[in-house]
Amino acid sequence: MGSLQGERMSGLVWNVLQAANRLTEVGNRLAAPFGLTAARWQVMGVIMMQEASIADIARALSQSRQGVQRLADDLVRDGMAVYRPNPRHARAKLLVPTPGGTASYQGLMQEQGKWMEDLARDLPVEDIGVARAVLAQLVSTLDAGRSSSTADED
Amino acid sequence: MGSLQGERMSGLVWNVLQAANRLTEVGNRLAAPFGLTAARWQVMGVIMMQEASIADIARALSQSRQGVQRLADDLVRDGMAVYRPNPRHARAKLLVPTPGGTASYQGLMQEQGKWMEDLARDLPVEDIGVARAVLAQLVSTLDAGRSSSTADED
DNA sequence: AGCATATTGACAACATGTTGTCATAATGCA
DNA sequence: TGCATTATGACAACATGTTGTCAATATGCT
């Protein structure tokens, strides 16, 4: 029954999940010295580009507003970011990095750069490209399937 | 600063994390009709091969005993598995699937097979192989780095 | 046999994500 | 203008993972 194609795909899925677990774990270790976590780092990444409301950030990360809300509150509590009034919306405050948050983020990005070069050293350049294309296609297919079955979310 | 190799690697990491999120989400939707979740499905997968203690399962999945313990208790509560005395260890009970759990798992695996074939349809066979190799190498490198820096865990 | 060490399960605290529900603010259309 | 719809934030419940701690059980070595 199980087609050869299907078997290979199952193996790929397993590799993806394993890799994601490891990457998140290392990401957390990398971020800890800067007072950040992998998840908060992601949020900082969004607001470093441009100030954004909670809902904006959630959309940028394909996550729920509620989850991002808690991360944002944590960042504010830790002095990494602050809420600023939004001239275009009374409730949707804008989250912006503090100077300290900016410094942490930039230091962390520098560490991440070194880490990425270490990881890339073991892999053929062209294979990385192929892997990216495969995963991008996979994400695209999965997203397409989602929008067809459920028309609304949140 | 950021090398080209590093940039490509960062992109790959982002693709991996995105793909893992989607896969887990779809996995949960797939498992729900069978009274399972993606996480419990994984645990069932281990004990379908061979009865195992909580610690055995945790090692097989590279997860913490504590996390697996809760999933196992959930499976037992839902009638998917039962604890059986371990002749070789007074405390380390063995987790084994019930007939109902076995039926759910097998039905789910059949659904998964169809899903995998759908996903594989969009992708060149040889590219899947390359992607798997890249991710396997990545996992290997990440695991190697972990064992060198931290000698003990748990 | 006896004791140090490792393994295991239980319990607690926490980080990260989800969904559901509600109230308020913004928007668009008759 | 007024009203239905949408967008947003807040709060709660839950699923899944982590780490830390403790007690009980095995195991191995002298």
Side-chain angles (χ1 to χ4, degrees), chain A residues 59 65 69 91-92:
Chain A
R59 275 187 294 266
R65 285 176 297 127
Q69 180 75 61
R91 299 189 65 194

Side-chain angles (χ1 to χ4, degrees), chain A residues 47-115:
Chain A
I47 64 175
M48 285 298 298
M49 309 300 309
Q50 170 153 20
E51 57 184 15
S53 70
I54 297 300
D56 289 335
I57 300 168
R59 275 187 294 266
L61 299 176
S62 298
Q63 285 188 2
S64 66
R65 285 176 297 127
Q66 295 88 333
V68 172
Q69 180 75 61
R70 193 166 30 69
L71 293 172
D73 288 344
D74 291 341
L75 286 171
V76 170
R77 171 177 48 77
D78 294 351
M80 296 287 179
V82 291
Y83 286 118
R84 208 161 61 180
N86 184 346
R88 294 183 305 284
H89 196 300
R91 299 189 65 194
K93 293 167 294 185
L94 296 172
L95 188 68
V96 298
T98 60
T102 299
S104 287
Y105 181 80
Q106 288 173 345
L108 178 47
M109 287 308 288
Q110 201 152 1
E111 285 300 308
Q112 192 235 18
K114 288 191 246 167
W115 178 39

Side-chain angles (χ1 to χ4, degrees), chain B residues 37-107:
Chain B
T37 65
R40 295 172 199 182
W41 176 8
Q42 261 196 320
V43 172
M44 288 297 295
V46 174
I47 63 175
M48 286 298 297
M49 310 299 310
Q50 169 151 21
E51 55 183 17
S53 71
I54 298 300
D56 290 334
I57 300 168
R59 275 188 295 266
L61 299 175
S62 297
Q63 284 189 2
S64 66
R65 286 174 298 126
Q66 295 88 333
V68 172
Q69 181 77 60
R70 193 164 31 69
L71 293 173
D73 288 345
D74 290 341
L75 286 171
V76 170
R77 170 177 48 75
D78 294 351
M80 295 287 178
V82 291
Y83 286 118
R84 207 160 63 179
N86 184 347
R88 294 184 306 284
H89 197 298
R91 298 188 67 194
K93 293 168 292 185
L94 296 173
L95 189 68
V96 297
T98 59
T102 299
S104 286
Y105 181 79
Q106 287 174 345

Side-chain angles (χ1 to χ4, degrees), chain A residues 9 133-148, chain B residues 22-23 26 29 115-123:
Chain A
M9 201 61 192
V134 166
L135 294 182
Q137 172 67 56
L138 190 55
V139 168
S140 167
T141 302
L142 290 170
D143 281 349
R146 173 163 62 170
S147 66
S148 75
Chain B
R22 265 69 166 188
L23 288 170
V26 180
R29 277 218 302 277
W115 178 39
M116 286 302 119
E117 289 178 34
D118 282 352
L119 286 183
R121 194 160 298 131
D122 298 321
L123 295 165

